[in-house]
Amino acid sequence: MLTPADHIHHATGPHGTAVLDLRRGAWMMLGPHVLRVWHAATVRGSTPGLTDEIAIPTGQDPQAVSGQINAFVDELVTAGVLVGTTRLSTITIRAT
């Protein structure tokens, strides 16, 4: 499950989402296109199904959309903005 890190504050308005990283004192502005990825990660906790939600209605290549979603989420996880275990737009179940 993905969630914003404790040092991240965010607010969504009609033109996108503002994300404040308190550790770095840096702002990130997320426009409408990446807002869907942010919303899936922070509200749903993961991005499964998001590829189809974006690609199918717009006629985009699902593999390309999935790659873009995964790259963005990986970037946010690497930067410490999001924390959690589900980083990809598909769920991988591992036997323990």
Side-chain angles (χ1 to χ4, degrees), residues 5-92:
D6 290 339
H7 62 279
I8 299 296
H9 293 271
H10 59 95
T12 299
H15 302 291
T17 294
V19 179
L20 173 60
D21 183 333
L22 293 174
R23 285 190 184 156
R24 289 188 257 172
W27 286 92
M28 234 186 357
M29 299 302 295
L30 307 179
H33 297 292
V34 295
L35 182 56
R36 290 185 72 180
V37 179
W38 177 261
H39 184 270
T42 60
V43 173
R44 295 185 202 172
S46 62
T47 58
L50 187 59
T51 295
D52 288 342
E53 290 174 27
I54 293 172
I56 292 171
T58 60
Q60 296 182 59
D61 175 27
Q63 281 188 297
V65 171
S66 179
Q68 292 169 345
I69 291 170
N70 290 336
F72 180 63
V73 171
D74 284 345
E75 182 181 318
L76 294 177
V77 170
T78 299
V81 174
L82 291 176
V83 295
T85 57
T86 306
R87 296 179 7 164
L88 302 176
S89 62
T90 57
I91 296 176
T92 302

